[in-house]
Amino acid sequence: MHFSSKLIENAVNEVAKLPGIGRKTALRLVLHLLKEDNGTTTDLTEALTRLRQDITYCRQCHNISDHEICAICANPRRDQHTVCVIEDMRDVMAIENTSQYHGLYHVLGGVISPMEGVGPNDLHVASLVRRVTEHDVREVILALSPTMEGDTTAYYVTKKLREARTGNPLRISTIARGVPIGGNLEYADEITLGRSILARTNASE
Amino acid sequence: MHFSSKLIENAVNEVAKLPGIGRKTALRLVLHLLKEDNGTTTDLTEALTRLRQDITYCRQCHNISDHEICAICANPRRDQHTVCVIEDMRDVMAIENTSQYHGLYHVLGGVISPMEGVGPNDLHVASLVRRVTEHDVREVILALSPTMEGDTTAYYVTKKLREARTGNPLRISTIARGVPIGGNLEYADEITLGRSILARTNASE
């Protein structure tokens, strides 16, 4: 791509660094900003700058929050004995949208992935272990992605929790895996379908 | 979408204003910036801010340029008698990539589109007419999108040029329309195929 302006080229290069945005899309976005008035660019850059500079994380669950303790952790009506372990904030939002969960969360900040250079120490596992040992947590629900990385992380977290926990019994569970509701059986992949047969549950009467 | 932080919500709102970026993608991009170190966000926002503040346009052809006259207009080896009229800078890049055109350009800055509130006066038509009357331009090639808006704009530009031009004859041409090379005939739409039969050219011998 040959640009008639260094300023454009530089802007396109920076925008194209974002995940899933190629150079053609980056150019389209940059030209859009040029067509709109100055305020659009200012609002965008200020929002991003403020976010990056002022962002804080909940001291307890590591979720992104404007306060030291996030709204979920601070809510006395949530079940303080259940902690759901997820990868990032998007998973919190997805689970909150189901309205089926009323416990607390613990954001790991990723999954173990040697390919991407993410090791166990890059995740918030130690603080999870501390939370479980110091507070009256009775169940930890692992809600990680059903991928190799997610499974490895789940195994590691389980091991660490089992090693640390000495007092009351702790239930460690994993969210159910199987054919998606509304999905057509013939389109389910073999591994999912095979597992969903092995992990069958009693039919409701 | 319910966010745990106003900063995130604000950033997602701003990013989602970009064309073709929905709120889910915006959230993914924003979380990416949070994972990367501070420099990524600074580089991005600075590139956009500088672009928006310092951008200049070629005085002659209105293409984006770092100088008062762009590199194409300033190049003495380009054919000064031919001007290709296009919508925006991306079209210049696309035509330059073909290496088939050696004349100059004139960037209209859009096409007439009552739906989007773009009228003839929002485009650089007057300066095109001035260029054609004041300089020794012998051919104007209209390379606008083959859409209703593009055709309307081409009609308007042609009319204005014909009205203004009094001296030497001016050739006004349109880029060829027909079935794309490498395309399969059966997949061409009816209008394109019909037109390509009417506008057939002599077979090369």
Side-chain angles (χ1 to χ4, degrees):
Chain A
M1 248 190 217
H2 177 81
F3 294 97
S4 59
S5 154
K6 282 271 170 227
L7 287 170
I8 283 260
E9 187 169 2
N10 192 21
V12 167
N13 285 343
E14 290 301 328
V15 175
K17 281 182 189 164
L18 294 170
I21 296 200
R23 291 174 69 79
K24 278 208 171 179
T25 308
L27 178 60
R28 192 162 51 84
L29 298 180
V30 164
L31 289 180
H32 168 82
L33 287 177
L34 279 179
K35 268 199 181 174
E36 299 287 305
D37 56 24
N38 231 317
T40 312
T41 309
T42 324
D43 288 351
L44 174 67
T45 54
E46 273 177 10
L48 293 179
T49 307
R50 279 189 46 213
L51 170 76
R52 197 66 192 79
Q53 284 175 352
D54 301 344
I55 196 76
T56 47
Y57 296 88
C58 172
R59 215 179 42 184
Q60 180 164 287
C61 73
H62 306 290
N63 195 8
I64 291 163
S65 163
D66 290 341
H67 308 283
E68 208 178 322
I69 294 289
C70 75
I72 294 176
C73 285
N75 185 348
R77 285 161 62 202
R78 310 247 351 176
D79 172 9
Q80 309 283 323
H81 306 300
T82 312
V83 173
C84 180
V85 176
I86 68 280
E87 201 179 318
D88 68 20
M89 161 185 194
R90 274 176 294 179
D91 304 326
V92 175
M93 290 171 69
I95 296 176
E96 283 298 289
N97 279 341
T98 67
S99 306
Q100 297 294 319
Y101 180 68
H102 308 289
L104 306 181
Y105 293 95
H106 191 89
V107 177
L108 281 186
V111 282
I112 298 170
S113 169
M115 294 282 284
E116 294 182 20
V118 181
N121 294 331
D122 299 317
L123 307 178
H124 297 297
V125 179
S127 63
L128 172 67
V129 172
R130 214 176 312 125
R131 239 178 122 178
V132 168
T133 47
E134 289 174 6
H135 295 85
D136 188 16
V137 176
R138 295 177 199 160
E139 177 168 5
V140 169
I141 303 173
L142 299 172
L144 301 169
S145 305
T147 58
M148 208 174 68
E149 286 84 3
D151 287 346
T152 309
T153 311
Y155 177 79
Y156 178 82
V157 169
T158 308
K159 203 174 127 236
K160 286 286 165 190
L161 287 174
R162 291 262 177 256
E163 280 172 13
R165 182 68 169 218
T166 47
N168 293 324
L170 173 70
R171 184 180 177 202
I172 302 177
S173 58
T174 307
I175 52 166
R177 293 165 185 192
V179 287
I181 293 162
N184 215 321
L185 218 63
E186 57 181 324
Y187 297 132
D189 66 289
E190 290 154 28
I191 297 173
T192 303
L193 194 54
R195 279 200 190 181
S196 78
I197 292 170
L198 291 177
R200 64 195 177 277
T201 55
N202 291 329
S204 52
E205 293 179 10
Chain B
M1 247 189 217
H2 178 81
F3 294 97
S4 58
S5 154
K6 280 272 171 225
L7 287 170
I8 283 259
E9 187 169 359
N10 193 21
V12 167
N13 286 342
E14 290 302 328
V15 175
K17 281 181 191 166
L18 294 171
I21 297 199
R23 291 175 69 79
K24 277 207 171 178
T25 308
L27 179 59
R28 192 162 50 84
L29 298 180
V30 164
L31 290 178
H32 168 83
L33 287 177
L34 279 179
K35 266 199 181 173
E36 299 287 305
D37 55 24
N38 232 315
T40 312
T41 308
T42 324
D43 289 350
L44 173 68
T45 54
E46 274 178 9
L48 294 179
T49 306
R50 280 191 44 216
L51 170 74
R52 197 64 191 79
Q53 283 174 353
D54 301 344
I55 195 75
T56 49
Y57 295 88
C58 173
R59 216 180 40 182
Q60 181 165 284
C61 75
H62 306 290
N63 194 9
I64 290 163
S65 163
D66 290 342
H67 308 284
E68 209 178 320
I69 294 289
C70 75
I72 294 176
C73 286
N75 186 348
R77 286 161 61 202
R78 310 251 345 181
D79 172 8
Q80 309 284 323
H81 306 300
T82 312
V83 173
C84 180
V85 176
I86 68 280
E87 200 178 320
D88 68 19
M89 157 183 197
R90 274 176 296 179
D91 303 327
V92 174
M93 292 172 67
I95 295 176
E96 284 298 289
N97 279 341
T98 67
S99 306
Q100 297 294 320
Y101 179 67
H102 309 289
L104 306 181
Y105 293 95
H106 191 89
V107 178
L108 282 187
V111 281
I112 297 171
S113 169
M115 293 283 283
E116 294 182 19
V118 182
N121 294 331
D122 299 319
L123 308 178
H124 298 298
V125 178
S127 63
L128 172 68
V129 171
R130 215 177 311 125
R131 242 178 119 176
V132 168
T133 45
E134 289 173 7
H135 295 85
D136 187 17
V137 175
R138 294 178 200 159
E139 178 169 3
V140 169
I141 303 173
L142 300 171
L144 300 170
S145 304
T147 57
M148 207 173 69
E149 287 84 3
D151 287 345
T152 308
T153 311
Y155 177 78
Y156 178 81
V157 170
T158 309
K159 201 172 128 238
K160 285 287 165 191
L161 287 175
R162 290 262 177 257
E163 280 172 11
R165 183 68 171 217
T166 46
N168 294 323
L170 173 72
R171 183 179 178 207
I172 302 177
S173 58
T174 307
I175 52 167
R177 293 165 185 193
V179 287
I181 292 161
N184 216 319
L185 218 63
E186 58 182 321
Y187 297 132
D189 66 287
E190 290 154 28
I191 297 174
T192 303
L193 194 54
R195 279 201 190 181
S196 77
I197 291 171
L198 290 179
R200 63 195 177 277
T201 55
N202 292 329
S204 52
E205 294 179 10

